Amino acid sequence: MTKAMRSPGEAQHEYREIRGFASFDDPEALSYVDSNGNPNFELIRQTDEFRTLRRRLTSFIFPMTALFLSSYLTFVLLSAYAKDFVSTKVIGVINLGILLGLGQFVTSIIITLGYSRYAKRRLDPQRKLLAEKTGVEE
Amino acid sequence: MPTTGNPVLNLSVFAVFVLITLYIVYRVSSRNVTASDYYAAGSSFTGAQNGVALSGDFLSAASFLGISGGIAAHGYDGFLYSVGWVVAWLVGLLLIAEGLRNTGRFTVGDVLAFRMKQRPVRAAAANATLVISFFYMIAQMAGAGGLIALLLNVSSKWGQALLIAVVGMVMVLYVLVGGMKGTTWVQIIKAVLLLLCVTLMSVFLLGKFGFSLSAIMQQATENNKLGEAVLDPGAKYGFSAMSKLDFVSLALSLVLGIASLPHVLMRFYTVPNASEARRSVVWATWTMVIFYLCTLVIGFGAMALVGTDTIAAAPGGENSAAPLLAFRIGGAVLLGIVSAVAFATILAVVAGLTLAASASFAHDVYANVIKRGNVEPRREIRVARLTAVVVGVLSILGGIAANGQNVAFLVSLALALAASANLSTILYTIFWRRFNTTGTLWSIYGGLGSCLLLIVFSPVMSGAKTSIFPDLDFAWFPLGNPGLVSIPFSFLCGFLATVLSKPEADKADLAAEMEVRAISGIGART
């Protein structure tokens, strides 16, 4: 338990010297995991599987973040600086501002569901591929 | 005063809640021995359970009573405030939850110090956690004082102080007995009760008005002195250039700060893996959407049925909107239940905060900075429990001192601090390989320091009638919320300090490990 309590950084220093030594049993699998069972993360990072995963992840989350932040800030800025516009009545006394605010709720749900769908279809299978190739489990 | 209902009934519903939850906490945590059990509930919760608990962290007294009260008093401007609480979860979902779960074990410091120099970064992360949690905690405890005044009809300062102390002691008991597991269960129970409560109230209200939100709002305008203007922006935040800018700053702090709060970040460790962490945010988003839709109905419902003037005149002011509405539609029994749930809310949120603060001190400062990682887990937990007691005492004292202060303000400051100190640093460390120790320290301390400095010299501290020191005037920063300046500043600090300092070549392996783990989750359990 004491070992587990150490910071992640401190337990890692051994594998560097051992990297590159192949064992007799299964040299193919061992290229990603050294003889102590420590994964060689630098090698894993350079695999095509990992690059694809990273590209798929970042190409979803960063544009999506830009999208929801700008939509939220548009709502905030309209409420602060375009009072007359957001005060336009739409349904009964419910005005455009309230609807835009509720629209933020809707987009939040859509993005949330969209991301979990995307993660299930495009990210998780790719993670599985990477785990199978490198022999490193979660 | 009839509007406060029956204090004895309120108190007994509350006492029943405390007894039941204490029993559950005791039952679930009989084998509370390892550090992982204490800090992260052994990572044994499911995504759904943790998601409800996560939303529980946010359905605080400030948001339940504060936001429904804000809507009841200021209409549109109160509603504006609630939008940020929902959208903010997207930051947690897309950018933070999975990477954090994959690279840390117990605290924010685990992630920030993963590939950096351990001691300075852990110390910095712990400082940030303690400052943020302290602000948030004071807000909750100050809220407790106001709530007690309203619900138990205790008006003397001494009586309120005594009750704040009792609240504080029960909360420490939860943490000591239950650790993260117990605290999470309290959070789940409370969140479910609160959601049931607000959903039933809103369905009832909607039914009363023929399921037309417009009809509720129509009648609401008749009971507000602003008339229909209360449905438009500006009732609270006003129209001066500064007040508008202040509002934008608050909105930014809200959306970026919520997912950066230490006690929320720590929640992601209570699930076994990243996909459960993702699932928990999905659950939290749903519950928050339902909750804030209900507060919209309840807020306008209170304005319609109770009237803004009656609410403003009640003890507790704006905060009393939801309880007064409960009394109006369900009599003393419903008021008792709503009051008990509101109390439970404060207890649960403060317990979560205490746990985050004590974990940060024991795990980052004591175990890793002072003892350099050579410490028995048992001893570390003992230190964590001791810290929880100290934090509890401090928050009782702080709560008594801050009793009567503006709660929403304090919460928004905690959010600005969290966004400034944590968000930039977490994003850089997960997504930017070149980021180094110097950059980490600059972005934590740059964000935290600039934020604190601007708060000290803002109208919140001095120079206005609502200030903490109304008789002094040393304010030169015009905004009440510093987020608009301090959040970009921390991003800038982290960026400049990194590019102007040497890359850490000896940490390349760790950087590779962190990148692979954060993005793919492989090797995350080793």
Side-chain angles (χ1 to χ4, degrees):
Chain A
M1 212 40 229
T2 320
K3 187 171 183 193
M5 288 305 302
R6 279 194 299 186
S7 59
E10 285 162 35
Q12 308 299 335
H13 297 301
E14 310 95 64
Y15 71 79
R16 226 179 312 157
E17 302 96 65
I18 305 162
R19 186 202 296 173
F21 282 82
S23 118
F24 300 112
D25 340 332
D26 192 359
E28 194 56 18
L30 277 179
S31 53
Y32 295 106
V33 182
D34 70 20
S35 54
N36 290 349
N38 292 319
N40 185 334
F41 288 103
E42 187 54 50
L43 278 186
I44 297 172
R45 199 176 79 87
Q46 287 162 7
T47 57
D48 288 341
E49 284 80 358
F50 181 75
R51 283 165 199 259
T52 309
L53 173 64
R54 185 175 53 197
R55 200 184 53 243
R56 282 185 191 169
L57 180 76
T58 51
S59 69
F60 188 94
I61 59 174
F62 291 128
M64 215 41 108
T65 303
L67 185 79
F68 83 76
L69 276 184
S70 45
S71 118
Y72 173 69
L73 288 177
T74 309
F75 166 68
V76 166
L77 290 173
L78 281 177
S79 297
Y81 295 99
K83 179 179 181 289
D84 293 339
F85 176 64
V86 295
S87 304
T88 318
K89 298 222 174 344
V90 185
I91 309 166
V93 292
I94 301 175
N95 59 32
L96 191 63
I98 301 239
L99 291 180
L100 284 175
L102 294 175
Q104 298 289 318
F105 286 19
V106 176
T107 48
S108 295
I109 289 179
I110 291 173
I111 294 178
T112 301
L113 294 181
Y115 176 66
S116 46
R117 195 180 150 96
Y118 183 80
K120 264 184 213 132
R121 295 191 170 187
R122 303 280 290 163
L123 302 178
D124 290 348
Q126 186 67 20
R127 288 184 175 122
K128 220 172 158 195
L129 268 184
L130 183 69
E132 277 162 12
K133 170 162 180 170
T134 58
V136 184
E137 285 302 315
E138 194 186 283
Chain B
M1 187 157 195
T3 45
T4 50
N6 182 346
V8 178
L9 182 72
N10 295 350
L11 200 59
S12 34
V13 180
F14 178 56
V16 169
F17 173 86
V18 169
L19 286 177
I20 293 175
T21 45
L22 268 180
Y23 176 73
I24 291 171
V25 166
Y26 172 74
R27 284 301 301 268
V28 297
S29 47
S30 47
R31 292 171 295 114
N32 206 8
V33 276
T34 69
S36 167
D37 284 335
Y38 183 76
Y39 295 134
S43 299
S44 60
F45 280 100
T46 66
Q49 289 170 330
N50 190 50
V52 175
L54 261 178
S55 61
D57 269 326
F58 280 97
L59 307 178
S60 62
S63 54
F64 174 43
L65 301 176
I67 292 181
S68 57
I71 295 173
H74 310 293
Y76 187 90
D77 282 9
F79 169 65
L80 261 179
Y81 199 72
S82 68
V83 174
W85 291 83
V86 173
V87 178
W89 286 100
L90 291 172
V91 177
L93 176 72
L94 297 175
L95 301 175
I96 294 178
E98 295 174 58
L100 189 90
R101 178 65 196 88
N102 282 334
T103 53
R105 279 169 57 82
F106 303 138
T107 62
V108 188
D110 285 343
V111 176
L112 299 185
F114 188 97
R115 59 187 173 107
M116 308 298 172
K117 292 199 183 76
Q118 292 291 316
R119 298 178 74 208
V121 173
R122 279 189 187 271
N127 281 333
T129 296
L130 293 172
V131 171
I132 297 161
S133 301
F134 183 71
F135 265 80
Y136 207 81
M137 183 106 78
I138 296 289
Q140 295 295 328
M141 295 301 272
L147 200 61
I148 287 160
L150 167 72
L151 304 172
L152 299 183
N153 217 0
V154 176
S155 50
S156 83
K157 281 283 167 204
W158 282 105
Q160 292 182 9
L162 185 71
L163 283 162
I164 289 178
V166 172
V167 168
M169 281 186 284
V170 175
M171 152 273 285
V172 170
L173 206 60
Y174 282 140
V175 176
L176 290 186
V177 177
M180 187 51 132
K181 197 176 250 176
T183 312
T184 305
W185 274 114
V186 174
Q187 205 63 273
I188 292 173
I189 296 167
K190 163 224 121 175
V192 170
L193 282 177
L194 187 54
L195 275 170
L196 275 177
C197 210
V198 294
T199 314
L200 292 177
M201 275 172 79
S202 345
V203 170
F204 176 84
L205 275 171
L206 282 171
K208 203 172 161 71
F209 286 89
F211 291 96
S212 159
L213 182 62
S214 179
I216 299 183
M217 288 164 69
Q218 179 69 50
Q219 186 172 337
T221 58
E222 288 158 19
N223 283 312
N224 187 294
K225 60 176 175 296
L226 287 174
E228 287 208 354
V230 77
L231 303 180
D232 303 336
K236 177 165 188 195
Y237 297 107
F239 301 106
S240 77
M242 263 325 146
S243 75
K244 284 177 180 174
L245 207 58
D246 201 9
F247 169 68
V248 174
S249 183
L250 170 73
L252 195 70
S253 298
L254 265 180
V255 78
L256 298 178
I258 286 168
S260 320
L261 287 165
H263 66 289
V264 172
L265 295 172
M266 225 180 131
R267 282 234 153 275
F268 293 124
Y269 299 128
T270 66
V271 291
N273 54 42
S275 66
E276 288 297 321
R278 184 198 309 147
R279 199 163 298 144
S280 54
V281 186
V282 175
W283 271 84
T285 309
W286 276 110
T287 40
M288 296 301 269
V289 165
I290 294 170
F291 179 80
Y292 285 115
L293 283 178
C294 293
T295 49
L296 182 66
V297 177
I298 291 176
F300 280 116
M303 198 195 279
L305 294 180
V306 184
T308 304
D309 292 340
T310 317
I311 293 169
E318 272 177 39
N319 285 339
S320 61
L324 289 180
L325 179 68
F327 185 69
R328 178 71 202 271
I329 64 182
V333 176
L334 188 59
L335 175 62
I337 293 170
V338 168
S339 320
V341 170
F343 261 130
T345 286
I346 293 187
L347 272 184
V349 171
V350 175
L353 281 164
T354 307
L355 193 73
S358 73
S360 178
F361 182 81
H363 184 61
D364 290 328
V365 178
Y366 176 76
N368 283 295
V369 176
I370 297 175
K371 295 285 182 180
R372 294 172 186 259
N374 298 315
V375 62
E376 286 252 329
R378 258 170 214 286
R379 208 175 149 66
E380 187 185 317
I381 296 172
R382 203 175 314 139
V383 172
R385 290 199 158 123
L386 204 65
T387 318
V389 175
V390 175
V391 171
V393 171
L394 285 178
S395 68
I396 290 170
L397 294 177
I400 292 171
N403 190 2
Q405 292 289 346
N406 184 332
V407 176
F409 242 146
L410 290 170
V411 169
S412 75
L413 294 182
L415 292 172
L417 283 164
S420 310
N422 284 345
L423 184 70
S424 53
T425 325
I426 292 174
L427 292 186
Y428 279 147
T429 204
I430 292 182
F431 294 108
W432 188 26
R433 200 171 149 74
R434 169 76 168 80
F435 197 49
N436 61 13
T437 303
T438 315
T440 306
L441 294 175
W442 272 89
S443 75
I444 296 176
Y445 286 126
L448 194 68
S450 64
C451 197
L452 280 174
L453 199 74
L454 293 178
I455 290 172
V456 169
F457 293 106
S458 77
V460 175
M461 287 299 278
S462 70
K465 252 186 257 161
T466 52
S467 305
I468 293 173
F469 302 110
D471 302 330
L472 300 173
D473 186 1
F474 48 84
W476 50 259
F477 183 69
L479 303 180
N481 189 302
L484 195 61
V485 177
S486 65
I487 298 169
F489 184 71
S490 78
F491 274 95
L492 188 71
C493 277
F495 176 75
L496 287 180
T498 304
V499 294
L500 295 178
S501 60
K502 281 193 205 130
E504 291 172 303
D506 58 322
K507 302 270 198 284
D509 283 341
L510 284 171
E513 174 174 355
M514 184 165 201
E515 188 179 347
V516 170
R517 274 173 61 168
I519 290 174
S520 72
I522 67 174
R525 245 185 258 170
T526 54

